[in-house]
Amino acid sequence: DIGGTLTKLVFFESETRPSWCNGRIAKVIKSLGAGGSPGSDFGERDASLSFDDHELGGRFHFLTFRSDHMDRFVALVEKHDLHDGLAEILTTGGGAHKYARLFKEHLGVTLRPVDELRVVIQGIAWFVDRPTQDKHCFIDFPGEGNRPAGSWPAESACPPGSTSDAPSAGSWTTGSGGSPGPGSAVDVHDMSCRSNLSSVSTFASNACTPQTTTCLPGGSHELFPFLLVNIGSGVSVVRVDGIDRFERVSGSAVGGGTFWGLCQLLCPDCAGFDEAGRLAQQGDASSVNLLVEDIYGGDYTLPTGATLPGNLTASFFAKAATSEAAAGRRPRAGSGCTDAAILHALTKMVSSNICQIAYLNARLHCTQRIVFTGNFLRQNPVAREAISENMQRVSAAHLKRGEEPFKALFLQHEGYFGALGTFLHNVQESHAGAPLCARLTSVNQRAGSGEEEAAAQGG
């Protein structure tokens, strides 16, 4: 999955090795990210996310690296002859087009593009259906450690006759375009979408990590419908009613690419996404953000009786507009305007913007479940905390009216579902009608007997 900022790679290591396989790919992939190993200068393997799948008979590995280092990755593949016998690679993301010439000229390999939204949804649906150990649970319910088994929230019941009622399968398109959006007659100020959600997502007040994770007891059948907010370089917002029933309904140009670009401008010494995430956890955004208490001296009571808490952000980065900043000088170290504070504020600014867009679309499309995914959230607990807290805040009005709040959901393997879905699409494409495990077995057997060169590509 070659995005505008990061490339995500999924590799499946089969327990049954066909005769044509010498294990080179597995050896190199598993070495990436280790100190002094091939590729450690540009790639990082998320070893903690690797898992065994007994149905398929093998182990999944996950790797990410910067897309602008694609030439190094191609050189690594060429150096170790990993492309030997490989004719094409199914690829999603804009890089499937951007880097097609690079792969063809240096490796003789064709990058074949697949529909990005389709494979992301396919990857999510397949993943939540996997039988797995507790340590590989999929959906984060921050702050909900006492949810009883089987109590996954039911979907909302939209007002009868509303233009946001779930349409028939035929009125939904597979892909990001081609069908009209929701009717303009929907009044987003008078929505009454209700559900059986027990409580809104929240994080522990003294930590930036989820308190618990929970698996879906009923698999993907309990997941649909939902609103997918895929945070890559930009943001795509998708209403999903099934694997083949989805529509891109909104989006934003303020996403992970925005964060990383501003990070490089404001904190040029920051080496990578992971370091930015770690620094953000150490920062105090109040040293650069203007808070309500900075304006009113404390909490502020609105004419309606509602209260704006003093620690609520009134304006991102406004406090940095000091006389020193206006004169073109970096604020003094003692002012608290450190790289950590800047990154904390930047993370919350981007996350809050995304959350607001997601919330408004969730109201418009009557979907209480909002699944946030994308590499921006990887190793970024501050972002998850900001999204969860903001969703709790904007849901407060619904609770006061006796309505249930909207829920922010996170997946542990966020960012890799495009690559995972592409892998599944590759395996399933020429073996429709058979279980996935049988398709993969068939691919390996036919490749091992040399009956079909294309089978080796699928393996």
Side-chain angles (χ1 to χ4, degrees), residues 24 38-39 72-83 107:
R24 285 178 302 177
R72 301 188 193 181
F73 179 75
V74 170
L76 179 72
V77 172
E78 188 173 19
K79 175 182 178 181
H80 294 275
D81 291 324
L82 303 184
H83 60 300
L107 304 177

Side-chain angles (χ1 to χ4, degrees), residues 260-305:
W260 180 239
L262 289 174
C263 173
Q264 291 296 282
L265 290 173
L266 298 172
C267 307
D269 293 333
C270 185
F273 268 88
D274 290 350
E275 182 182 349
R278 288 191 293 269
L279 280 174
Q281 293 180 65
Q282 302 168 15
D284 179 9
S286 65
S287 63
V288 293
N289 290 343
L290 190 69
L291 309 181
V292 169
E293 64 187 11
D294 295 323
I295 301 173
Y296 296 101
D299 296 347
Y300 177 69
T301 302
L302 298 169
T304 59

Side-chain angles (χ1 to χ4, degrees), residues 153-166 182 186-198 225 227 239 358-370 394-407:
E155 174 58 13
S156 62
C158 292
S162 166
T163 55
S164 286
D165 283 345
V186 178
D187 180 5
V188 298
H189 298 290
D190 191 33
M191 279 292 183
S192 57
C193 301
R194 299 172 182 270
S195 76
N196 294 325
L197 294 173
S198 60
L227 196 74
R239 160 82 191 208
Y359 164 70
L360 294 175
N361 275 280
R363 290 191 65 186
L364 184 63
H365 298 284
C366 286
T367 51
Q368 254 83 9
R369 292 190 289 271
I370 310 173
V394 297
S395 294
H398 295 268
L399 288 169
K400 291 186 70 172
R401 294 196 299 266
E403 302 168 7
E404 296 293 343
F406 294 88
K407 176 176 285 295

Side-chain angles (χ1 to χ4, degrees), residues 225-260:
F226 65 93
L227 196 74
L228 173 65
V229 181
N230 193 33
I231 311 173
S233 296
V235 180
S236 292
V237 181
V238 187
R239 160 82 191 208
V240 185
D241 278 64
I243 294 179
D244 293 319
R245 296 175 57 199
F246 58 91
E247 179 184 16
R248 188 183 189 278
V249 296
S250 186
S252 173
V254 179
T258 308
F259 169 80
W260 180 239

Side-chain angles (χ1 to χ4, degrees), residues 124 127-128 136-142 152 212-216 223 371 407-413 417:
I124 291 174
F127 201 66
V128 299
H136 293 304
C137 290
F138 313 121
I139 302 288
D140 283 355
F141 291 98
W152 178 259
T212 185
T213 58
T214 305
C215 294
L216 293 178
L223 178 62
V371 176
K407 176 176 285 295
L409 305 175
F410 305 91
L411 301 103
Q412 287 190 348
H413 287 70
F417 292 104

